[in-house]
Amino acid sequence: MQTGEMTTSPSRRNSTNWAPRSLSPTDRQIERRWDQLHTWGPYGLLGISVVLGLASADPTSSAARWYTAWSLIGAAVALQLCRHGARLRRPDRGRTPSWAGTAYYTVRWALAFALTWMNPFFAFYAAAGYMDADETIPGRRWQRLGLFASVVTVAGAQSGGLPPKSWAQWAAFAALIVANFGLQTVIAHLTEQEEQRARERAATIAELERTNAALQQALDENAALHAQLLVQAREAGVADERRRLAAEIHDTLAQGLTGIIAQLQVVANAPDLDVARTHLDRASALARHSLGEARRSVHNLAPVALEHDGLAEALKKTVAEWGERTGVRAEFTVTGTGEQLHEEVAATLLRIVQEALSNASRHARATRVGVTLSFLGDKVILDIRDDGQGFDPLARPERTLPHSRLRSSGGTPIGGFGLDGMRARAERIAGSLTVESEPGHGTAVSARVPLVRHE
C-alpha cells in the first residue's frame, strides 16, 4: 500500500536548558504550546493513523491480523497514558532526558514499527519520534540513533510499505532514509545552535541581573554618601559663614571702633573746642560707617564704599580718608586699563586694603603708605607698602589659633587674625597673598587675584 510523503515535526530544544523563570510572557506562552504539543501530539498522530488505517484496511484480512492490530493500538494508547501520568506527577522531569524516557521512546518506536509494518499509515504515529528524541533520550549519539530508527519506520511507509518488495522499492527506501535522516540531522544541528544561543542569552541575563544588583547597591551607597556629604556640606557652610561674619566684624566693626576710640582719645586731650568738635565729627562719621558695614555684613552685601563707586574710586577714597584720619602720608596709584570687577572680587580687595591700613596704623608706626592697584591681563594685583618698623615673617608662628599674635620688635602685636583673614579672603576667590617684611625696613603686602569682570 502506497502513502503520500509524511509531514515531520522538528525536534525541540533540550529541556535541560528550559528555564521558565528567565523567560518573557511571550516565551512562556510558546513553551506552554510546545508542552501541549508534546503531551497531546502523540495522541493526535495515533488517532490519525487509526482513522486512515481503518479506511484503507482490507476487510477480508484474517481475524488474527485484526486482533494483533487492535492489541498493538491498545498498547500504544496505554503507553501514552502512562507517559502522560508520569508527566503530570513529575512535571519537572517531563522534559528532561532520562533512561525512563529512553525506555518509553524505544517501546513507542517498536509499537509504531509493528503497526507501520501492518499498515503504512501508522507512520504518522512513528513520526512522533521526531518531536521528542532530545527530550527523552540522554546523549547526542543516542538521540541521533533514536531519530534514525524513526526515520527507518517513516521511510518504509513512504517507499510503499514494509518490507520492500522489489529492488526499486528497496532503492526508494534507501534514498528516503538518507533524505529524511539528513533533514532531521540539519534540524537537530540548528536546534543545538538555538540551544547555545539560549544558554548565552541566559548567561547574559544572569550577568545583567548581577550587574543591576551591584549597580543598585552602589546607588544605595551613593545615596547614603550623598546624604552624609550634604550634612558635612551644611556643617562646613555654617563654619564658613561663621568665619565670614568673624572677618566682617573684624574688618568693619573692630576697625571702626578702633578709629572711634582714637578720635575720642584726641578729643579728651584737645586744646580747644574746635579741635574737639572736628574729632567728634570724625568719630560720628566712623560710627555711622561702621553701622552701615555691620548691616551689610549680616546680609552679605558689598561694602558701603562700593555701593556707588567702582573699586579704584573706593580705594582712592578709603586711602585718602585713612591718611586724613591718622595723619600718615598715604598715596594711591592705578596702573593698567581699569576694569569693572565682579562684586566679590572688588569687596575682597577693598577688605584687604582696609585690614592692611589698619595694621599699619596700629602696629607699624609708619610715616608713609603706598597702595597700588594693577590690572595685568587676567590678573589683578594689589600692593600695600609702608615704611614702618616691620617684623620677621619667618618668626611668625603657624596658625595655631585664629587670634594668635606675634609682637613686633617694638612690642606691638601684629599679624594674627589680620594677616590670616587677608590670606583667607584672597584664597576664597582663587587668589593668593604674600607678605614681605624685615625689622626696621617696613612691610609689603601683595594680593594677586583673578580678573573677573562685573556681570
Side-chain angles (χ1 to χ4, degrees):
M1 182 179 298
Q2 299 287 337
T3 62
E5 185 173 347
M6 306 297 295
T7 301
T8 61
S9 300
S11 175
R12 184 61 173 152
R13 61 186 173 89
N14 196 311
S15 62
T16 56
N17 300 313
W18 185 51
R21 289 180 299 174
S22 60
L23 297 178
S24 65
T26 303
D27 291 334
R28 290 194 183 96
Q29 185 177 6
I30 294 175
E31 289 293 338
R32 283 196 298 270
R33 290 176 179 176
W34 272 106
D35 192 60
Q36 292 172 356
L37 176 63
H38 290 174
T39 301
W40 302 106
Y43 288 108
L45 293 174
L46 180 61
I48 293 173
S49 299
V50 170
V51 172
L52 294 178
L54 289 175
S56 60
D58 185 3
T60 61
S61 300
S62 62
R65 185 180 179 87
W66 281 97
Y67 179 79
T68 302
W70 281 110
S71 298
L72 293 174
I73 293 172
V77 172
L79 177 66
Q80 292 304 137
L81 290 174
C82 291
R83 177 65 176 175
H84 192 185
R87 289 171 67 93
L88 291 177
R89 289 192 302 271
R90 299 296 300 272
D92 56 328
R93 294 186 179 181
R95 300 176 63 179
T96 303
S98 63
W99 293 113
T102 303
Y104 158 75
Y105 189 94
T106 303
V107 173
R108 187 184 65 187
W109 172 83
L111 293 173
F113 183 83
L115 288 169
T116 304
W117 189 284
M118 299 178 65
N119 189 310
F121 281 110
F122 278 94
F124 281 100
Y125 181 54
Y130 294 160
M131 294 189 303
D132 56 4
D134 61 345
E135 295 191 352
T136 54
I137 304 175
R140 299 296 184 189
R141 181 179 300 177
W142 295 105
Q143 291 172 8
R144 297 292 188 272
L145 182 60
L147 285 175
F148 183 78
S150 298
V151 164
V152 170
T153 305
V154 173
Q158 291 172 339
S159 62
L162 295 172
K165 299 177 178 59
S166 64
W167 287 108
Q169 190 175 355
W170 274 106
F173 177 54
L176 287 170
I177 288 177
V178 173
N180 286 341
F181 188 69
L183 177 63
Q184 291 301 319
T185 301
V186 170
I187 293 175
H189 178 68
L190 295 177
T191 302
E192 291 173 3
Q193 291 183 336
E194 181 186 355
E195 293 176 11
Q196 181 63 28
R197 288 194 297 270
R199 285 193 292 269
E200 292 175 355
R201 286 195 298 268
T204 301
I205 292 173
E207 182 63 26
L208 288 175
E209 289 177 349
R210 288 192 295 269
T211 302
N212 289 336
L215 180 60
Q216 184 61 43
Q217 182 180 1
L219 290 175
D220 294 340
E221 293 176 356
N222 286 341
L225 180 60
H226 180 67
Q228 182 179 357
L229 290 177
L230 285 178
V231 173
Q232 294 177 352
R234 188 179 299 110
E235 294 175 352
V238 171
D240 186 70
E241 183 65 12
R242 288 175 178 173
R243 287 191 295 270
R244 183 191 71 82
L245 289 176
E248 291 291 339
I249 293 172
H250 178 273
D251 294 343
T252 57
L253 296 181
Q255 294 181 15
L257 291 174
T258 301
I260 292 171
I261 292 171
Q263 298 301 320
L264 293 178
Q265 288 176 345
V266 174
V267 170
N269 300 319
D272 55 53
L273 185 59
D274 293 335
V275 174
R277 184 176 294 108
T278 299
H279 288 282
L280 284 175
D281 291 340
R282 291 179 180 176
S284 299
L286 281 174
R288 287 191 295 270
H289 177 81
S290 298
L291 179 60
E293 289 288 359
R295 290 172 176 173
R296 284 162 176 77
S297 297
V298 172
H299 295 286
N300 197 25
L301 299 178
V304 175
L306 295 173
E307 188 172 1
H308 303 291
D309 298 324
L311 176 62
E313 187 66 22
L315 288 178
K316 182 179 179 180
K317 292 181 179 179
T318 299
V319 172
E321 290 175 359
W322 178 85
E324 181 181 356
R325 185 172 65 251
T326 60
V328 178
R329 179 181 176 185
E331 299 176 353
F332 173 71
T333 306
V334 179
T335 63
T337 304
E339 298 277 358
Q340 188 71 16
L341 299 179
H342 189 276
E343 292 87 346
E344 185 68 19
V345 176
T348 298
L349 294 177
L350 178 61
R351 293 303 191 202
I352 290 176
V353 169
Q354 290 174 338
E355 178 63 22
L357 294 176
S358 176
N359 286 341
S361 64
R362 287 183 295 169
H363 312 312
R365 299 177 184 175
T367 60
R368 182 178 179 182
V369 174
V371 179
T372 303
L373 178 66
S374 303
F375 294 89
L376 300 176
D378 59 347
K379 296 287 184 181
V380 180
I381 301 176
L382 180 66
D383 296 305
I384 305 100
R385 304 172 305 280
D386 67 63
D387 61 354
Q389 61 187 9
F391 64 97
D392 184 4
L394 297 179
R396 184 172 181 267
E398 295 298 326
R399 296 148 76 180
T400 56
L401 291 173
H403 297 279
S404 63
R405 296 187 180 276
L406 176 71
R407 294 189 176 274
S408 66
S409 58
T412 306
I414 61 175
F417 190 89
L419 289 179
D420 290 341
M422 288 190 287
R423 182 173 289 107
R425 285 183 180 276
E427 292 175 352
R428 190 178 297 129
I429 59 172
S432 61
L433 185 135
T434 59
V435 179
E436 297 179 0
S437 184
E438 184 179 351
H441 294 83
T443 302
V445 177
S446 179
R448 180 185 295 263
V449 299
L451 194 156
V452 183
R453 293 175 177 82
H454 177 72
E455 297 179 357

